[in-house]
Structures are given as C-alpha cells and as structure tokens.
C-alpha cells in the first residue's frame, strides 16, 4: 500500500476510538468478607479449550487488589434494564465491602462464592490463572469454572459514552 502525505481522517484519541466500539456490560465480583463488585466492559473471551476469559482492571481500583487476593472472580453479563446496577457498581461513592450489595439481589456462585447478580443475561465463575501487565491496567486471565445462562434475551450495551439496549 502506498504511503500518503496527509491522512484525511481526523486523528483522535484512543478513548474516542473506543467510544465507537460497542461493548456489553459486566459486573465483576469477588467473594469473601470484603466482597465487592465493579462495572467493567474490558472483558473478552480468550480460548474455548481450555475455557479462558480476560478482564482488564485499573491498577488503582480496589477491585484490582481484591481479585489478586481472592484468586477468583465472577462475571455477571447485564441485560437490558440493569443500567442502574451498571451505574451503581461504577460509582466511586458507593459503600465499600459487602454494604455495596445492600438492596442488590444476588446469590453466591457454587464454585467461588462470588456474588452473581440476579436477572443477568449470563454468568461465569473464574479462577485467576495469570495477571499480565497492561499499562495502567492489569489483564486478568481467568479459567472458567462454571458458566450459566439466564432467561433474558435483551442486552445492555455501552456505546458512544452512554448505555443502550439491544433487543434480540
Ligand atoms: C461502562 C463502564 C465500563 C467500565 N469498565 C471498566 C473496566 O473494564 N475496567 C476498569 O478497571 N474500570 C472500568 N470502569 C470503571 C469502574 O467501574 C469504576 O472506576 C469503579 O468505581 C471501580 O471500582 P473499585 O471499587 O474497584 O475502584 P475504586 O477503588 O473505588 O477506585 C475507582 C477509581 O478511582 C481512582 N482511584 C482509586 N484510588 C486511587 C488512588 N489511591 N489514587 C488515584 N486514583 C485512585 C482510580 O481511577 C480507580 O479506577 C467502567 C465504568 C463504566 C461506567
């Protein structure tokens, strides 16, 4: 491909490009006395055999140390209608520890004990197998211990800096 002197496409930041990449929304959770949850869209499948997923967590977020300490995490894939949960678990003013689940319906995962948010589209429970350097985030690789699907069909997605609903 020939090089061009000037690119007609406006240069923008990585953040602006990623705002154009529609994602699902998850809430990551960890078990234990200091259980906590965190909204995350930096989540992806990695391998089917063995079953592996990854999530990227800011090194400064308390969730980072919580996942390393627990050695496990769960993923609740939010459905349309769960926007308030996404906002709650992204709110830095929410209570710390178990109190952040007050008023939130959940049940403990059988493999990890991590909270699985009721009414979600799907859930995964994972054992942390590796943490990779990812700049100001860490890339947590999880081996899937259990995977379950809920009854809902419509997804909550994040696009252009706001929440949307996708109807199947
Ligand atoms: C749609 C959406 C998707 C998101 N996806 C992700 C994702 O994939 N990965 C991710 O990591 N976050 C993501 N976030 C942000 C995350 O949900 C929030 O930052 C959440 O409050 C983090 O929870 P926490 O309790 O672990 O972090 P907290 O400990 O409450 O920290 C929240 C943030 O405050 C800042 N902070 C905390 N302590 C310090 C300190 N000592 N010095 C400086 N700054 C500090 C950091 O930026 C940290 O990320 C997303 C948010 C939204 C709305």
């Amino acid at each position: 491909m020939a090089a061009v002197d000037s690119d007609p496409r406006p240069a923008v930041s990585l953040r602006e490009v990623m705002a154009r990449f529609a994602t699902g929304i998850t809430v990551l959770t960890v078990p234990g006395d200091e259980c906590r949850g965190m909204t995350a869209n930096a989540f992806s499948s990695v391998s089917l055999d063995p079953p592996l997923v990854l999530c990227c967590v800011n090194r400064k977020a308390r969730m980072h140390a919580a996942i390393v300490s627990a050695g496990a995490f769960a993923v609740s894939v939010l459905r349309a209608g769960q926007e308030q949960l996404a906002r709650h678990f992204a709110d830095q003013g929410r209570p710390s520890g178990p109190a952040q689940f007050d008023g939130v319906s959940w049940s403990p995962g059988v493999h990890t004990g991590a909270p699985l948010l009721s009414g979600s589209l799907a859930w995964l429970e994972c054992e942390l197998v590796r943490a990779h350097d990812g700049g100001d985030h860490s890339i947590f690789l999880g081996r899937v211990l259990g995977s379950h699907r809920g009854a809902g069909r419509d997804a909550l997605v994040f696009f252009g800096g706001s929440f949307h609903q996708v109807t199947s």
Side-chain angles (χ1 to χ4, degrees):
M1 184 181 294
V4 291
D5 287 340
S6 63
D7 193 327
R9 293 163 295 200
V12 295
S13 67
L14 173 60
R15 187 183 287 268
E16 287 176 88
V17 170
M18 295 315 294
R20 296 190 164 206
F21 181 61
T23 69
I25 298 290
T26 73
V27 173
L28 306 177
T29 52
V30 291
D33 293 342
E34 280 305 307
C35 67
R36 57 188 308 115
M38 187 194 94
T39 300
N41 64 348
F43 167 76
S44 178
S45 64
V46 174
S47 162
L48 293 178
D49 186 15
L52 298 171
V53 297
L54 67 78
C55 59
C56 303
V57 177
N58 192 317
R59 291 177 181 279
K60 290 178 179 168
R62 279 169 283 187
M63 191 59 161
H64 189 282
I67 288 178
V68 171
S69 165
F73 61 91
V75 184
S76 294
V77 179
L78 299 191
R79 64 163 167 75
Q82 291 185 309
E83 179 177 335
Q84 284 313 312
L85 284 177
R87 291 187 183 280
H88 172 70
F89 285 105
D91 180 359
Q92 292 173 33
R94 70 192 184 284
S96 191
Q100 66 196 273
F101 291 94
D102 289 354
V104 175
S105 178
W106 62 276
S107 58
V110 295
H111 298 278
T112 62
L116 306 179
L117 304 189
S118 305
S120 298
L121 275 185
W123 304 268
L124 294 173
E125 288 185 83
C126 303
E127 168 192 19
L128 178 64
V129 291
R130 203 157 303 151
H132 295 280
D133 178 18
D136 56 10
H137 284 54
S138 286
I139 304 161
F140 291 128
L141 191 66
R143 183 172 71 87
V144 176
L145 304 174
S147 47
H148 298 275
R149 193 178 70 183
R153 296 171 59 89
D154 300 339
L156 184 66
V157 300
F158 198 64
F159 176 69
S162 54
F163 294 98
H164 303 268
Q165 303 193 9
V166 172
T167 305
S168 61

